[in-house]
């Protein structure tokens, strides 16, 4: 891992502040912890909860692509604002709804919010980092910070929502959410959006997708990791979506939903911290996790004790978080960096596709034979997950991880070293280094070797030098120089 | 519907590892952004992978693109990039001074410079070079 460059430009932090404020505010969805409680109050049963989850799981992937196009063509921060509007409308309709149908409509509008916001912030942060620093190296750190802010908001809203529901009503939390999201819109609109719009991106996207799909289908190792990711994701979703139904069945008081949800949500953060200390490639660790997940899933099928149910769900969620991160690390090692995000998206879509039928069947069995019986579906999925985990540990032993290149320049240097010669695509990344004479002797030799035999790159370098010469003239001419000085401040 | 919220936090979870967040399930497609558009180069299946599809077109003699082209291209740059270009190429400051003024590392200001110069070069050309191939 190359993480030695610590310096983050001051302007980057200042520029991302409104975005962070917006993300914190839009994370304060107060009704989330008590949603299932409210849903039962207005007439939902387990089967209709399952049907709602399925309807919702169908909406989001459908809107993913159009929302991506909208983000590229229009404006990403405005798309975030629009997503917040959808969230406000959904909260309002949800709060007003008196029937199952009305609530399902509200849920589908919430799907619009998630489709619009998913990935949008990632790409805003990515472009901002590139615009401020010239490379994407600091991207991971900043998206990590923003996710941390967001998850802190989730935990806070979980606790606050539970308390609010206890002292007012479940319905009120929906209305109380609306002004907070309204404030988030201001944050997004105040954000100074990056201006870098590369029209060629869409063009290369198509070939990119083709390559990604090919990798997903043809490589068995990748397919295995994808299945592992999707199964862990499916189970994780199932716990978060249907877990509260256990509390509803056991008639837990409203105030309990807040801490319960906060615990559940915090397992994801704790998992992130814990994973660095655990060795999931060791059999002992794998065995512990498998036994723990099987035990907790089985406990959910027979216990009637509220504390045990909560403890089991939290433990299961934690194990699933660990496995999810582990799967993403395996994925990281299995595919080259250039198509990694695409393959991850494939894993996400696969999760949705599995979750749709799963939630329908789960809801159905929960209504007809009780939530504890449908808990056996969790057990079944855990068994499949365990099998995939065992196979993946066997497969991943002995495979050499694909090397990581965080930036285009590092990519170029690595490719040159591997191929033992420089190609045009790599040369153009190194022009500034060549002109500043900061290339290693080896790279410099390859640079010049390529230049001697390539008219295209000679032309490219000549034009770049001409640009530099003309820029230098700008400072000499009083007119141009002054105008330029002005913009420099 | 909490699934999505769970999912959003799952993005955070990978934070424990340095590379984690690249795999945000929903993140769109982020190959390292190249300086020159990837479709200017030949692909895997072509005769010379990673070499120019078409060489950069030569510029007519004299000042390329007319006297107004460079200031126009310059003002079209994103603010932080323009600042680095002006400090380094117009005012001719050494990298260390630019780092001190902008808070960028030596490496970062060079990355910015490389990208910005490419945009300027494109802007100075006689006509946008790859419009012809676009649909």
């Amino acid at each position: 891992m190359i993480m030695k460059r610590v310096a983050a430009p001051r302007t980057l932090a200042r520029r991302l502040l409104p975005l962070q404020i917006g993300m914190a505010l839009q994370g304060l969805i107060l009704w989330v912890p008590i949603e299932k409680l409210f849903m039962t109050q207005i007439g939902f049963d387990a089967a209709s909860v399952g049907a709602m989850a399925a309807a919702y799981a169908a909406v989001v992937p459908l809107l993913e692509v159009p929302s991506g196009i909208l983000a590229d063509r229009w404006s990403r921060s405005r798309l975030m604002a629009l997503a917040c509007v959808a969230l406000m409308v959904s909260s309002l309709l949800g709060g007003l709804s008196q029937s199952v149908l009305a609530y399902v409509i509200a849920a589908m509008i919430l799907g619009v919010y998630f489709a619009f916001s998913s990935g949008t912030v990632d790409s805003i942060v990515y472009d901002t980092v590139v615009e401020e620093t010239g490379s994407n190296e600091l991207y991971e750190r900043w998206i990590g910070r923003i996710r941390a802010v967001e998850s802190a908001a989730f935990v806070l809203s979980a606790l606050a929502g539970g308390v609010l529901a206890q002292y007012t009503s479940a319905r009120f939390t929906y209305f109380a959410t609306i002004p907070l999201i309204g404030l988030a819109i201001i944050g997004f609109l105040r954000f100074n959006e990056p201006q870098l719009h590369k029209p060629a991106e869409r063009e290369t996207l198509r070939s990119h997708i083709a390559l990604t799909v090919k990798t997903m289908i043809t490589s068995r190792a990748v397919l295995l990791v994808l299945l592992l990711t999707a199964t862990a994701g499916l189970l994780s979703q199932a716990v978060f979506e249907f877990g509260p139904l256990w509390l509803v069945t056991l008639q837990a008081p409203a105030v309990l939903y807040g801490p319960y949800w906060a615990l559940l949500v915090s397992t994801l953060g704790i998992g992130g911290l814990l994973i660095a200390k655990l060795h999931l490639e060791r059999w002992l660790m794998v065995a512990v996790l498998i036994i723990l997940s099987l035990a907790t899933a089985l406990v959910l099928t027979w216990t009637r004790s509220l504390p045990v149910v909560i403890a089991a769900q939290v433990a299961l969620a934690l194990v699933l978080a660990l496995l999810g991160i582990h799967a993403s690390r395996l994925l990281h090692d299995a595919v080259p960096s250039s198509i990694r995000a695409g393959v991850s998206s494939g894993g996400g879509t696969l999760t949705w596709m599995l979750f749709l039928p799963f939630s329908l069947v789960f809801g159905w069995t929960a209504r007809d034979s009780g939530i504890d019986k449908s808990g056996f579906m969790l057990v079944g999925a855990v068994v499949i997950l365990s099998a995939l985990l065992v196979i993946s540990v066997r497969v991943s032993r002995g495979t050499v991880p694909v090397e990581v290149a965080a930036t285009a320049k590092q990519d170029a240097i690595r490719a040159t070293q591997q191929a033992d010669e420089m190609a045009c695509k790599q040369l153009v990344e190194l022009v500034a280094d060549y002109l500043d004479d900061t290339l290693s002797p080896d790279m410099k030799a390859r640079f010049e070797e390529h230049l001697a035999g390539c008219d295209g790159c000679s032309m490219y370098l000549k034009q770049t030098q001409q640009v530099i010469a003309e820029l230098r003239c700008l400072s000499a001419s009083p007119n141009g120089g002054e105008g330029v000085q002005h913009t420099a401040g | 519907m909490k699934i999505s919220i769970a999912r959003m936090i799952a993005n955070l979870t990978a934070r424990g590892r340095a590379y984690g967040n690249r795999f945000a399930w929903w993140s769109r497609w982020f190959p390292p952004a190249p300086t020159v558009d990837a479709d200017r180069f030949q692909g895997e299946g072509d005769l010379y992978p990673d070499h120019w599809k078409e060489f950069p077109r030569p510029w007519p003699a004299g000042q390329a693109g007319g006297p107004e082209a460079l200031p126009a291209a310059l003002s079209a740059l994103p603010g932080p990039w323009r600042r680095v270009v002006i400090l380094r190429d117009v005012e001719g400051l050494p990298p260390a001074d630019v780092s001190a003024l902008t808070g960028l590392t030596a490496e970062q200001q060079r990355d910015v410079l490389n990208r910005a110069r490419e945009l300027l070069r494109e802007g100075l050309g006689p006509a946008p070079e790859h419009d012809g191939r676009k649909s």
Side-chain angles (χ1 to χ4, degrees), chain A residues 81-121:
Chain A
L82 204 61
C84 286
V85 173
L87 179 55
M88 287 165 79
V89 171
S90 167
S91 299
L92 181 66
L93 289 183
L96 289 175
S97 59
Q98 306 280 357
S99 69
V100 169
L101 184 67
Y103 197 85
V104 169
I105 292 170
M108 289 169 89
I109 294 173
L110 192 76
V112 176
Y113 158 69
F114 282 117
F116 279 7
S117 58
S118 77
T120 306
V121 167

Side-chain angles (χ1 to χ4, degrees), chain B residues 39-124:
Chain B
D39 64 353
R40 300 286 309 275
F41 300 101
Q42 301 181 31
E44 292 281 325
D46 294 326
L47 193 53
Y48 298 110
D50 293 350
H51 287 67
W52 297 102
K53 267 184 198 162
E54 267 172 57
F55 284 172
R57 283 189 213 156
W59 290 344
Q63 198 177 31
E68 289 309 310
L70 190 60
L74 201 55
S75 60
L77 286 180
W81 292 19
R82 188 168 55 236
R83 186 153 188 239
V84 171
V85 167
I86 287 170
L87 291 172
R88 288 257 352 231
D89 287 346
V90 179
E91 298 182 4
L93 295 181
D97 292 6
V98 177
S99 294
L101 282 169
T102 55
L104 297 166
T105 64
E107 197 82 336
Q108 285 166 349
Q109 59 88 28
R110 203 171 296 117
D111 288 342
V112 167
L113 199 61
N114 201 46
R115 281 160 199 278
R117 283 171 179 168
E118 159 60 13
L119 284 192
L120 293 177
R121 194 195 65 85
E122 282 272 332
L124 247 59

Side-chain angles (χ1 to χ4, degrees), chain A residues 22 25-26 77-78 80-86 88 178-191:
Chain A
L25 286 167
Q26 63 121 42
S77 52
R78 284 189 203 151
M80 281 308 292
L82 204 61
C84 286
V85 173
M88 287 165 79
I178 297 172
L180 294 171
I181 309 302
L183 288 174
I185 293 182
I186 299 175
F188 289 124
L189 291 181
R190 285 192 66 97
F191 175 69

Side-chain angles (χ1 to χ4, degrees), chain A residues 327-383:
Chain A
S328 74
R329 197 193 299 172
L330 291 178
L331 195 65
H332 176 275
D333 291 344
V335 294
S337 62
S338 55
I339 57 166
R340 204 168 282 147
V343 173
S344 309
S345 282
T349 311
L350 192 61
T351 309
W352 285 113
M353 281 156 59
L354 292 176
F355 184 70
L356 204 152
F358 184 94
S359 60
L360 280 175
V361 177
F362 192 100
W364 205 259
T365 38
R367 189 186 61 179
D368 289 353
S369 20
I371 188 82
D372 43 351
K373 292 292 173 297
S374 53
F376 280 107
M377 284 182 69
L378 290 183
V379 178
V382 166
V383 170

